[in-house]
Amino acid sequence: MKYLAMIAALAFAGSAYAVDCTECHEKINVEEHAEMEATIGTCNDCHDFGSMHEPDPEIHTPELSIKECADCHEL
């Protein structure tokens, strides 16, 4: 049981770390990107998102909009 708790704690710590994008990146203009209808699927058109990040594909579908990203992440 203690191993399960330790694994859960490590998984949570890893996911919590990834939430604040501004730790590594400058803040983006969410409204401007929303006007351009930016999605995870279109990030690579302007940014090399795919080579630097491996988001969970079950949660982060290509259709996920930038506004939906901002619901969970500090952009």
Side-chain angles (χ1 to χ4, degrees):
M1 185 69 172
K2 67 180 176 181
Y3 294 113
L4 181 60
M6 186 172 58
I7 291 170
L10 289 172
F12 176 78
S15 66
Y17 174 77
V19 172
D20 189 2
C21 301
T22 58
E23 286 183 16
C24 300
H25 305 283
E26 292 182 28
K27 284 185 78 68
I28 66 165
N29 184 330
V30 175
E31 294 302 320
E32 180 182 299
H33 283 78
E35 287 177 14
M36 293 184 283
E37 299 179 3
T39 65
I40 289 180
T42 60
C43 287
N44 278 328
D45 292 346
C46 300
H47 312 282
D48 192 15
F49 186 80
S51 70
M52 299 299 289
H53 299 283
E54 294 180 22
D56 180 358
E58 290 183 20
I59 298 170
H60 302 90
T61 62
E63 302 83 29
L64 196 68
S65 73
I66 195 72
K67 283 208 177 255
E68 292 169 317
C69 292
D71 289 344
C72 298
H73 299 275
E74 181 66 34
L75 304 174

